[in-house]
Amino acid sequence: MEPMLKILVVDDDEVDRMAVRRALKSAGVFMEWFEVEDCAAAIAITQTTHFDFIFLDYCLPDNDGLNLVRELRQRGVRVPLVVLTGQGDEEIAVELMKAGASDYLAKSKVSSETLIRILRNAMRVYRAEVQVALANQQLRESNDLLRRKNQELEHQRQQIQLQNLKLLEASRLKSQFLATMSHELRTPLNAIIGFSQMLLRPSKGQLNPQQLDMLQRILNNGRNLLELLNDILDLSKIEVGRLELVPDTFNLETELRTTLEGLRSLAAQKGLFLELQTTLQNPQITSDRQRLRQVMVNLLSNAIKFTEAGGVWVEVSEPEPDHLAIAVHDTGIGIDEAHLEHIFEAFRQVDQSITRRYTGTGLGLAITYSLVKMLNGAIIVDSQLGKGSVFRIELPRTLSGTSLSHDIQELTFTSPRAPKSIDHRRLVRGHDQ
C-alpha cells in the first residue's frame, strides 16, 4: 500500500483545483488534500504544515508563480513544486526551473496520466535529493568529527613529542652523569688495585694467610668494580654517541685464539673445555679490533658463567664472501623462550631476585648488542632451556664508513644460517625496537 501524500494546490480558480484533484484520484493517488487561493495563504500554510507535493498556478491574485517559487525555496520548502499555467511560454518555463520549480505543465494537458507521471518523477528526484542531502550532512558531521579527532591527536602528538624531548634530555643528563662518575671513580679504584698488587708481591715482605686472603679479596673486588664502571662508561658513551670506532685490518682467527687463551683459566676452574673451530678461507677482516674483542669477551664470559658441565666452543665461518659469522656455543643452562626478547636490555637479567645464583649487572649483553650494531652486524640467539645457547654474530668483512657516523642500521642477511646443534630456535636480531 502506497503511503498517503499531503498535497497542496495553490490556485484561485476552483474549477482548475477540482480538475487536478479528480485527475489525481483517477490515477489512484492516496492523498490528503489541501488548497489555498493566493501566495500569502500558500506561504502561511507551508510554514506550519509539511507537504509532500505542491501544485501552484502561475497567475495568482497577489503575485505570480515565479515569485512564489522563489519565496518558498528561500523559506526552506524543499518538496517538489509543479507550476500549472494556461500559457505555454518556454521562457517562463526556463525561469521557473531556474527559480527551483520541479516541473512545468500547461493546464490544457492536465490528465491522470500526465499528473501521475510528473508526480512520480518529481517525488523520485526529491527523495534522491533528500538522500544526497542526508549523506552530505552525515559526511559533514563525519568530517567535523575527524577534524576534532585530528586536532586532539595533534595535541597528543605534540605532548608526546614534548615528553620525548624531556626524556631524551633526562637520558642525556643521566648518561653524562654516569660517564662523569665512572671516570672519576676509576682513578681511586686503579690506585686500590695497584696498591693491592704491590702488597701481594713477595718483595714487600711475608704476609700471613689471613692478610693474603684479605688483600686478594680487595684486589678481586676492586677489579670487579672497575669492570662494572667500565661497562657503565661504555654504555653511557654508546647512548650519547661518543663511542668512536677505530677500524683496522687484522687476522680474525688469531684475534679469537688470543681472546680464548685469555679466558681459558676461567673455563679450567669449572672443568670446561674451550675450543675454536674455523673454516675460514680468508681470515682477514677490517673492523674495530678492540670492540670486537669486547663483544667476544662478553659472550664467552657469559657462556662460561652459565655453563656447569661440558664446555664452550666458537665456530667461525663465511656464509658469504663479504660476510663472516662467529657463533659462541655452550652446554649451559639455556634461556627460557619467555625471556629471549629481553636479554639485550640494559640491567636486565633472567633472574632478577636478590638471591640469584649468578651475579652481574646485566650490562654485558646490552653493550654487546649495541657494539654489534655499530659494527654494522646482526646478532642471533638460539637457545633451549636446560640444553644450552648459541649466540651467533654476523659481520661484514669490511666495516663501511657509514658505521663510523653512528647511523646504525641492522645488517640484513637473506638467509641466515642458524646453528643446527639446538633443535628449538628463537631468533633475536640486533635492530632497533
Side-chain angles (χ1 to χ4, degrees):
M1 181 177 180
E2 293 187 1
M4 178 180 288
L5 299 178
K6 282 187 177 181
I7 296 179
L8 172 66
V9 174
V10 185
D11 198 328
D12 60 335
D13 189 327
E14 184 178 359
V15 174
D16 289 341
R17 295 199 301 269
M18 291 179 61
V20 173
R21 185 174 184 179
R22 283 196 302 267
L24 291 175
K25 280 189 174 183
S26 298
V29 177
F30 187 50
M31 63 184 175
E32 185 178 357
W33 183 262
F34 298 81
E35 54 184 50
V36 295
E37 297 183 0
D38 55 38
C39 294
I43 292 172
I45 195 171
T46 55
Q47 298 308 298
T48 59
T49 306
H50 173 75
F51 295 98
D52 297 303
F53 208 92
I54 300 176
F55 291 98
L56 57 95
D57 188 12
Y58 183 78
C59 297
L60 294 167
D62 55 350
N63 212 323
D64 59 42
L66 179 60
N67 289 325
L68 178 58
V69 169
R70 289 173 178 162
E71 182 71 17
L72 291 175
R73 292 308 190 201
Q74 288 176 1
R75 290 177 177 269
V77 178
R78 294 289 175 258
V79 300
L81 301 176
V82 175
V83 180
L84 304 175
T85 180
Q87 303 174 3
D89 193 334
E90 293 296 329
E91 292 183 2
I92 294 176
V94 171
E95 291 298 320
L96 286 169
M97 300 302 286
K98 287 182 179 180
S102 303
D103 211 338
Y104 175 90
L105 180 65
K107 289 184 177 181
S108 60
K109 297 182 179 179
V110 171
S111 66
S112 300
E113 292 77 9
T114 56
L115 286 183
I116 195 64
R117 176 177 53 80
I118 289 175
L119 185 145
R120 287 175 176 171
N121 288 340
M123 289 298 296
R124 189 180 300 112
V125 172
Y126 169 68
R127 287 167 181 164
E129 290 174 347
V130 169
Q131 292 297 322
V132 170
L134 180 61
N136 287 336
Q137 177 64 24
Q138 293 174 344
L139 183 60
R140 285 192 295 270
E141 292 174 356
S142 297
N143 287 337
D144 291 340
L145 179 61
L146 285 174
R147 190 178 298 109
R148 290 194 297 271
K149 290 294 184 182
N150 285 336
Q151 290 173 351
E152 293 174 4
L153 288 174
E154 176 61 20
H155 178 71
Q156 293 175 3
R157 186 194 66 80
Q158 292 175 358
Q159 292 298 315
I160 291 173
Q161 186 177 23
L162 181 61
Q163 291 298 321
N164 285 339
L165 291 175
K166 291 180 179 179
L167 289 173
L168 287 173
E169 178 63 12
S171 178
R172 185 188 68 80
L173 292 174
K174 179 265 297 180
S175 299
Q176 189 176 34
F177 170 77
L178 288 176
T180 302
M181 291 303 298
S182 299
H183 180 75
E184 294 298 325
L185 290 172
R186 283 199 302 178
T187 301
L189 266 178
N190 282 321
I192 292 171
I193 292 171
F195 285 130
S196 300
Q197 290 173 329
M198 289 177 60
L199 291 173
L200 286 170
R201 291 174 185 170
S203 61
K204 299 302 179 181
Q206 293 296 324
L207 300 174
N208 61 47
Q210 184 178 8
Q211 291 172 329
L212 285 172
D213 180 64
M214 293 174 64
L215 277 175
Q216 190 63 50
R217 290 188 182 188
I218 292 172
L219 178 60
N220 292 339
N221 285 310
R223 284 172 173 170
N224 290 337
L225 188 54
L226 182 60
E227 182 179 351
L228 170 60
L229 289 174
N230 287 335
D231 285 344
I232 293 175
L233 185 60
D234 283 343
L235 187 64
S236 300
K237 286 182 178 180
I238 291 171
E239 286 182 346
V240 298
R242 292 172 54 192
L243 189 67
E244 298 294 334
L245 296 181
V246 183
D248 67 331
T249 301
F250 56 92
N251 187 302
L252 177 61
E253 184 176 333
T254 301
E255 186 65 30
L256 291 176
R257 291 190 186 279
T258 301
T259 303
L260 262 67
E261 288 303 317
L263 297 170
R264 191 169 298 282
S265 60
L266 293 178
Q269 290 174 9
K270 302 179 73 173
L272 306 177
F273 66 83
L274 186 62
E275 297 179 355
L276 174 65
Q277 302 172 5
T278 177
T279 58
L280 292 180
Q281 299 296 319
N282 176 15
Q284 297 299 310
I285 182 174
T286 300
S287 190
D288 189 307
R289 186 197 304 254
Q290 177 185 353
R291 297 307 171 186
L292 182 56
R293 183 188 305 121
Q294 186 176 356
V295 167
M296 294 307 303
V297 168
N298 284 342
L299 293 180
L300 288 167
S301 298
N302 266 8
I304 294 171
K305 180 197 299 187
F306 294 107
T307 301
E308 300 300 328
V312 177
W313 69 100
V314 179
E315 286 184 352
V316 189
S317 60
E318 295 172 298
E320 298 177 18
D322 295 332
H323 295 105
L324 303 177
I326 306 171
V328 178
H329 300 248
D330 67 61
T331 58
I333 61 175
I335 305 169
D336 188 273
E337 185 176 1
H339 297 127
L340 281 173
E341 295 181 359
H342 307 290
I343 62 174
F344 292 113
E345 296 176 9
F347 303 102
R348 167 77 73 157
Q349 289 182 306
V350 173
D351 183 1
Q352 300 274 55
S353 67
I354 59 175
T355 59
R356 61 181 181 265
R357 178 180 178 184
Y358 300 99
T359 60
T361 61
L363 290 177
L365 286 180
I367 293 173
T368 297
Y369 172 90
S370 298
L371 289 177
V372 170
K373 286 202 309 179
M374 291 183 66
L375 295 173
N376 208 17
I379 186 166
I380 304 171
V381 182
D382 299 342
S383 189
Q384 188 173 12
L385 196 62
K387 294 188 177 181
S389 303
V390 180
F391 283 77
R392 175 186 170 102
I393 300 170
E394 297 178 339
L395 295 169
R397 184 180 293 277
T398 302
L399 183 62
S400 63
T402 56
S403 301
L404 306 181
S405 64
H406 304 299
D407 182 16
I408 306 168
Q409 297 180 351
E410 179 191 2
L411 186 64
T412 302
F413 295 87
T414 55
S415 56
R417 300 171 179 83
K420 297 181 179 179
S421 58
I422 296 177
D423 297 328
H424 180 75
R425 305 194 310 168
R426 173 61 178 259
L427 304 185
V428 180
R429 282 201 172 269
H431 60 82
D432 293 325
Q433 300 297 330

